[in-house]
Structures are given as C-alpha cells and as structure tokens.
Amino acid sequence: MRSPVCEMFGTRTAIFGFTPFREVVVALGNAGGYGVLGASRRTPEVLDADLRWISENGGGHPFGVDIVYPATSAGDDLGAMRSTLPAEHVEFVNRLMDRFEIPKGSDPDRGDLYAAHRLTMANARAQTEVALAHDPSFVVSALGVPPPDIMDAIHAKGAFVGALVGSPKHALRQVEAGVDVIVAQGNEAGGHVGRISTMVLVPQVVDAVGDVPVLAAGGIGDGRQVAAAEALGAAGVWLGSILLTTVESQSAPVVKRKLLQATSDDTLVTKSFSGKSARVLRTPWFDAWESREAPSLLKAPLQGLLVSEAMTSMVENEHDLVTSPVGQIIGMVDKEESVGVVMDRLLAQYAAARTRVG
Amino acid sequence: MRSPVCEMFGTRTAIFGFTPFREVVVALGNAGGYGVLGASRRTPEVLDADLRWISENGGGHPFGVDIVYPATSAGDDLGAMRSTLPAEHVEFVNRLMDRFEIPKGSDPDRGDLYAAHRLTMANARAQTEVALAHDPSFVVSALGVPPPDIMDAIHAKGAFVGALVGSPKHALRQVEAGVDVIVAQGNEAGGHVGRISTMVLVPQVVDAVGDVPVLAAGGIGDGRQVAAAEALGAAGVWLGSILLTTVESQSAPVVKRKLLQATSDDTLVTKSFSGKSARVLRTPWFDAWESREAPSLLKAPLQGLLVSEAMTSMVENEHDLVTSPVGQIIGMVDKEESVGVVMDRLLAQYAAARTRVG
C-alpha cells in the first residue's frame, strides 16, 4: 500500500503498527512497516531507555511514539486520589477479588502491567519531552487533543503529529488543532474506542478532514482488510491487536495464550477497565462489573485506580481472569508468528485483494 | 459489482437491498439491484397482497422475501402470552409511558408499526407458504435456521435460500443446513445483530463457508463500502438502513425526519426492543431500559409484547421518542432521495473506489 504517507514518513508501505513493545517497533521497521511505541506503561526514565534501545537496534528505520494526553485528570498524586475512592466501590473490588480468588498484595502502582490510572497530563508532558530527545518522526495522541505548546514542540523537531479519533467531530477538532495525520479508529479496535465501526467511520472522517491523510484502525490484521481500508479512502492502516501475539511481543505468556484462543466474539467494551470505554478480552470479572450487583462506575482515572491492584495481580499471578485491551481481529490469529511473517502474509493478501477489486 | 451471484439471480449488479416496503423492492429492481421484502410486519393476507402488487408493478425483475424463523417461541397466542408478563415489568412500562407522556390506548397487536412480538414459527410458516405462491427467487432467513421442510419447499420452487448471520459459527450451521447464500451482517447494522463488526466478520465467514457466496451487510451505503466489501471477499452487498429514508420508503414521516437528522453515534444495541440484541435509533426510552432502575429484560417474544403498545403509540402519535431499527450508516444520509439516485451515486462511488484500489 503506497500513498502520500509513504513519502511523509519515508516508508515502503503505509502500514503503521501500534505496540507497547520496543522489540515489535524494530521488527515492524525491518519488515517495511512503521512502528509506534505506546508510552503509557512507562515512566519517563523507562521510556528514555527504550527509545535509546530502538535507536541503537532499529537499523535506522523511522519510528513513532504514542502518548495519552488526558483532557481532564484528578491530579498526579496517586496516593491522594486513592484515598478518595468510595468505600462501596473498594468493598465491591474486595468481594470480587475474594470470589475469583485473585491474590492480594500486588503493587497497584507498578504500572508496567496495568497503567490506566497513571494517565495524567504531567506524565504526558514528561513523556513527550523524553521522546523528542530521541527524534521520533511521529508523535501520536492516543486520546485527547495535545496542548498547543506540545504541538509546537513536536513540529519544531520536524516530526508529524497524529491523533486517534472515533468520530468525524473529533477528527475535525484534531485537524483544527494542527494535527497532521488522523487515525480513524473503529469500535472493533482494542483499548479506548468510540461507538462507530471502521466501515462506517473511515469514509466519514475522510470526508470531514479534506486533504489530511487518514489511517484506518480497528479490525485490520489481514491484507483483505488493508485493501478494504484503501477502498474506504484511507491513506494507510494502523495495526494493533494483531501484533500482541507475535514472537517479538513481550506480552506475558499467560496473556498471549489467552489471546491466541480468543474468537472475535470474546471481547467486550467496558468502562470498568479504565473509566473510559475500552475494548478488552472478556472475562467474568467484566461481566460482574456490567451486572446490576456492581456500583456505578467511577470516572477516569479513579476507576483505573480502583482496579489497578486486581489487574496487576491477575498478570503477576497468571490468574485465569487475566485480560488485555484487544480488538475483535484477535479472532483471526491462532498461532505465534514473527512480525516479519505476519507482514509478508498481509502484503500478499493485500496484493490478491487489490487484483480482485481492480 | 459483478460476481457469481449476478448469474444466480439474473441481476446486473450484486447489490441486494432489504426493505419493509414493496415500493422500495420495485425501485431497487428498476435501478439494477435486487429487492428483498421484509415480511415481519405483515399478516399472511397483507403479504399476499403486497407480493401480488410487486409482481404487477415490478417490471419483471426478480425479488426476494425475508422471513424470521424463530428457534424458540413461547407460543402463538398473544393474549395468553401477555397475561404472563411480570407485574414489575408492566409497572415499569407504565411508569415510563407516564414519564415520557406516551399516550396509552394504541392497539399493541396492530403489527404494521411494530412487530417484534409476532415473530412466531406459525407465522413464519404461513408467510413462507404465501410467499412461495408468488415465485420469489430468494427466501432469506432474517434469524434462525429454516426448518428442513421449509428449506425443501423453497428449493423445490427453484428459489435460493439465504440466511443472515453474525458469526462464522452461525454461518457454518446455516451452510450445513443447506443455505445457498450467506448474508454476513456486522454489528453496525440495524435490527437484530451479533457483536462482530463487518470488517472483522466478512473475511472470517468467507473463509468458513468455502464456495458459498457471501453478501456483506452492516455499514454499507456508499460505493466505497461496496468496494471495501469486495476487498473483504464478499460476492455482493446487502443494503438496509440506507433505503429507509428514500422517497419510495413508506416509513412514517416522523421516523424519516429523525433518521435524516441522526449521526452514526445516535444508535445503540439493546435487548429492550425485542428481547434480542437489536440496533435501533437511540432515545431516552432505551437509556431508561439500560439504566439500573429497569427490571431485568425479558426474553423474546415477551419483551416485545411488553413494549408493543408503547412502540406502536410512539409512531401513531408522532411522539418525540419514536424510534426505528437502524444501522450506523444512517449518519451518512441527510436528505430524502429516490432509490434510483442513491443507487446511481453508489455505483459511481464504487467505480471510483475500484480504480483507486486497483
């Protein structure tokens, strides 16, 4: 898939991939794609080390960084925020942890296994500063409009600014703020999502933003879907969930195993994961939160603070209820393969689909 | 879009359209598409009259009929079933009707404005018998596997059997039962839906069913989406919501007006409309049913019986809360146009998208 974004970013293909893992960023670059590192689980110090590692091991391929710019946040002091959690909610979490035999005692602030509660603007600013020192060519807002001074700082370094959106209205707002590339992310995607599906969203965003290139995200993992995204008017695609089970992915083995077994029917959108609508691997834990026994959900980041110990414990202890943000495309993956193999197959499928449509 | 289904059905394009209105069936045939009449709101007598009208006014174009074959039903006696509704539920409906000032006294069994409670197998059998007398070339199951004797009767008349499915598992079940064409309907569609989006569903269904042609449904209303469906492996498309606001559509004016104003964010999937997951135009009525104040939802067809008076009243009285089953594509329509104009634009967009992809 060649398009104007190939020239913008100096890549062979317009296939971008979001990943929380530096190893996948490098593998994507080597396979002709463009890797974007998700910063959210990293302190500025860890982000600094990982971006240095990418620069040293990435073979000179360009790369991007994905940062959450939360519009509102209750503050930066996790301890102070945690003390404001309602007793009813804390008790419900304790009851669920007892019922599902989720061991207590995990460090809820550990952050490398679960980080939805740490999405503060202070952290985003620190991450942006660290990232820009490593010369990424793309800084993408996972959520929210980047503040004007951050937008200026990224542009001053010669990098492009991108933003994930779930509606044409949000796309317009981002373009008006100066964003260079829109990632139109459908409801079938993993993580934080809007309500509109990729099939319906992409043409509307393309029509709304004029000349600004649009990448299609959500439900893309097979070359047929890449060709479909192109038919919808996208200038490229944004992979995500399809990379979580690759050899290079550092997902915990228990998470990888569950993802490889999942069908496309095994995810759900819930606000109980982070306080904002997010698509995750469905487990009885989430069903309990969606049931009438649950208290009303807290807003972000308080809901994230509320569940951070349980979420961290599930991964640390390889608990059956372990989950992950993941999109519906995970149902099309059933074995662990290298990023290179995934990309080669995707490009071959894409070529075949183009021939069929053309 | 030409494919093997054009030869099967003798059409110029592989563009099928589902509609509750006989006028739209005829207009689709005249515009080079293939119209499928939704039977659910019709008694066998009305269906008989409408199919005769189509035969007399359809210019000889082939047409289909869409029938619900419910796997289970509480019976055929609406009065007897209504007497089993729990008091708590009846009271909640009364409270909602008072709160929203929805006039009482509408005939809940009228059926031409709201019919989710009348979906019984006895009705489906009677509809099928009437339909086959008018020589449709396609009988489509909107829900459920048609019983073997019905499947045989349709095939004996030389017609094809189709079935709407929302997962690869259901597609396989239908093909094993002898269905000739699968309609893979994504979660963004209107009416009864599964959880998987069109982008993710179609390739999986295509892979599952081998040589059986697959039509893509859900989120198709623009020629870019037709080309995308083809890229995903579909042999054709199945329009629905995009036809509700056409000149030929007999939707109540108050419904048409609300649909033309809706964005793609203005629908929701709820079980409160019929007892099964259905995507409808969002209103405060449905928000109340999704809230914690609502009693647990009844199964189909009891939930439909419970709300049938209110649903009928909303249309009869042009109430603000009037709703309709509708898919997310409705956000791409903002004016009333003839079916011919919609089809011409769709085909032009499709040709442009093919050129871009190819």
Side-chain angles (χ1 to χ4, degrees):
Chain A
M1 188 175 199
R2 289 197 61 80
S3 84
V5 302
C6 295
E7 279 77 67
M8 282 175 77
F9 290 96
T11 53
R12 288 209 312 273
T13 71
I15 297 172
F16 292 71
F18 165 87
T19 173
F21 307 113
R22 61 188 193 181
E23 293 81 359
V24 177
V25 170
V26 168
L28 271 168
N30 290 336
Y34 184 102
V36 179
L37 185 73
S40 71
R41 293 185 188 175
R42 290 171 172 78
T43 60
E45 295 71 31
V46 174
L47 181 63
D48 189 45
D50 285 345
L51 291 175
R52 181 168 308 116
W53 188 91
I54 289 172
S55 294
E56 289 168 2
N57 296 276
H61 297 297
F63 63 90
V65 182
D66 175 281
I67 296 173
V68 177
Y69 297 97
T72 54
S73 171
D76 295 316
D77 182 342
L78 297 185
M81 280 193 280
R82 190 168 272 117
S83 70
T84 70
L85 296 174
E88 181 199 1
H89 290 73
V90 174
E91 276 161 31
F92 182 70
V93 168
N94 282 332
R95 270 209 310 283
L96 283 190
M97 290 182 78
D98 289 345
R99 184 197 306 171
F100 293 123
E101 299 180 0
I102 298 165
K104 293 184 180 163
S106 287
D107 176 6
D109 297 335
R110 183 174 156 173
D112 59 329
L113 300 179
Y114 174 83
H117 56 304
R118 301 205 315 187
L119 305 178
T120 63
M121 189 57 92
N123 203 27
R125 288 190 169 278
Q127 287 174 335
T128 308
E129 192 178 331
V130 164
L132 290 179
H134 292 278
D135 293 320
S137 58
F138 201 15
V139 178
V140 182
S141 165
L143 199 72
V145 179
D149 63 311
I150 288 187
M151 195 86 84
D152 290 345
I154 300 167
H155 282 147
K157 292 282 283 185
F160 295 108
V161 182
L164 270 75
V165 304
S167 74
K169 193 176 68 182
H170 288 164
L172 266 182
R173 196 176 303 161
Q174 294 283 3
V175 168
E176 282 161 12
V179 162
D180 308 294
V181 177
I182 293 292
V183 185
Q185 189 191 36
N187 168 268
E188 54 268 71
H192 291 124
V193 291
R195 283 188 287 259
I196 310 174
S197 79
T198 301
M199 186 70 99
V200 177
L201 177 67
V202 171
Q204 292 189 61
V205 170
V206 167
D207 290 343
V209 302
D211 291 338
V212 176
V214 175
L215 308 180
I220 318 277
D222 178 303
R224 290 173 285 188
Q225 290 145 345
V226 178
E230 197 170 19
L232 295 175
V237 296
W238 176 271
L239 310 176
S241 303
I242 201 79
L243 302 168
L244 287 173
T245 52
T246 55
V247 173
E248 292 86 347
S249 159
Q250 305 297 308
S251 291
V254 59
V255 172
K256 244 187 219 187
R257 221 160 37 234
K258 283 193 78 171
L259 292 178
L260 288 171
Q261 288 162 0
T263 74
S264 293
D265 241 346
D266 293 334
T267 71
L268 91 167
V269 174
T270 180
K271 288 189 176 175
S272 68
F273 183 74
S274 73
K276 289 179 179 289
S277 293
R279 187 176 291 280
V280 297
L281 188 64
R282 182 175 199 150
T283 71
W285 170 272
F286 295 117
D287 292 336
W289 279 99
E290 298 297 315
S291 77
R292 279 150 209 265
E293 66 167 329
S296 61
L297 300 176
L298 303 179
K299 290 204 182 307
L302 294 175
Q303 180 71 24
L305 272 171
L306 183 64
V307 301
S308 58
E309 181 191 351
M311 289 291 156
T312 303
S313 172
M314 288 178 203
V315 192
E316 270 186 352
N317 295 295
E318 306 208 347
H319 192 276
D320 273 354
L321 295 196
V322 75
T323 186
S324 170
V326 72
Q328 293 185 340
I329 195 70
I330 200 64
M332 295 187 78
V333 193
D334 57 9
K335 56 179 180 294
E336 192 175 350
E337 295 177 314
S338 72
V339 169
V341 167
V342 170
M343 282 285 285
D344 285 350
R345 184 175 50 240
L346 184 138
L347 291 171
Q349 291 164 329
Y350 167 60
R354 281 183 71 185
T355 305
R356 190 171 57 245
V357 176
Chain B
M1 188 175 199
R2 288 197 61 81
S3 84
V5 301
C6 295
E7 279 78 66
M8 283 174 77
F9 291 96
T11 54
R12 288 208 314 272
T13 70
I15 297 172
F16 292 71
F18 165 87
T19 173
F21 307 112
R22 62 189 191 179
E23 294 81 0
V24 178
V25 171
V26 169
L28 271 168
N30 290 335
Y34 184 101
V36 179
L37 185 72
S40 73
R41 293 185 188 175
R42 289 171 172 80
T43 60
E45 295 70 32
V46 174
L47 181 62
D48 189 45
D50 284 345
L51 291 176
R52 181 168 308 117
W53 188 91
I54 290 173
S55 294
E56 289 168 1
N57 296 276
H61 298 298
F63 63 90
V65 182
D66 175 282
I67 296 174
V68 177
Y69 296 97
T72 55
S73 170
D76 296 318
D77 181 344
L78 297 186
M81 280 194 280
R82 189 167 274 117
S83 70
T84 69
L85 295 173
E88 180 199 2
H89 290 72
V90 174
E91 276 161 32
F92 182 69
V93 168
N94 282 332
R95 270 210 310 283
L96 283 190
M97 290 182 77
D98 289 345
R99 184 196 306 169
F100 293 125
E101 299 180 0
I102 299 166
K104 292 184 181 163
S106 288
D107 175 6
D109 297 334
R110 182 175 157 171
D112 59 328
L113 300 178
Y114 174 82
H117 57 304
R118 303 206 313 188
L119 306 178
T120 65
M121 189 57 92
N123 203 28
R125 287 188 169 279
Q127 287 174 336
T128 308
E129 194 179 330
V130 164
L132 289 179
H134 292 278
D135 293 321
S137 59
F138 201 16
V139 178
V140 182
S141 165
L143 199 71
V145 179
D149 63 311
I150 288 187
M151 195 86 84
D152 290 346
I154 300 168
H155 282 146
K157 293 282 284 186
F160 295 108
V161 182
L164 270 76
V165 305
S167 73
K169 194 176 68 181
H170 288 164
L172 266 182
R173 196 176 300 162
Q174 294 283 3
V175 167
E176 281 162 12
V179 162
D180 309 293
V181 176
I182 293 292
V183 185
Q185 189 191 36
N187 168 267
E188 55 268 71
H192 292 124
V193 291
R195 284 188 287 260
I196 310 175
S197 79
T198 300
M199 186 70 102
V200 177
L201 178 67
V202 171
Q204 292 189 61
V205 170
V206 167
D207 290 344
V209 302
D211 290 338
V212 176
V214 174
L215 308 181
I220 318 279
D222 177 303
R224 290 173 285 187
Q225 289 145 345
V226 178
E230 197 170 19
L232 295 175
V237 296
W238 176 271
L239 311 177
S241 303
I242 201 80
L243 302 168
L244 287 173
T245 51
T246 55
V247 173
E248 292 86 347
S249 159
Q250 306 297 309
S251 292
V254 57
V255 172
K256 242 187 220 187
R257 219 158 40 233
K258 283 193 78 171
L259 291 178
L260 288 171
Q261 289 161 359
T263 73
S264 293
D265 241 346
D266 292 334
T267 71
L268 92 167
V269 174
T270 180
K271 289 189 174 173
S272 69
F273 183 74
S274 74
K276 289 180 178 288
S277 294
R279 186 176 292 280
V280 297
L281 189 64
R282 182 174 199 151
T283 70
W285 171 271
F286 295 116
D287 292 336
W289 279 99
E290 299 297 316
S291 77
R292 279 150 208 264
E293 67 167 329
S296 61
L297 299 176
L298 302 179
K299 291 205 182 307
L302 295 176
Q303 180 72 24
L305 273 171
L306 183 64
V307 301
S308 58
E309 181 192 349
M311 289 292 156
T312 303
S313 172
M314 287 178 203
V315 192
E316 271 187 351
N317 295 295
E318 306 210 345
H319 192 276
D320 272 355
L321 296 196
V322 75
T323 185
S324 170
V326 71
Q328 292 185 342
I329 195 71
I330 199 63
M332 295 187 78
V333 192
D334 58 9
K335 57 178 179 294
E336 192 175 351
E337 294 177 316
S338 71
V339 169
V341 167
V342 169
M343 282 285 285
D344 286 350
R345 184 174 51 239
L346 184 137
L347 292 170
Q349 291 163 329
Y350 167 59
R354 281 183 72 186
T355 305
R356 189 171 58 244
V357 175

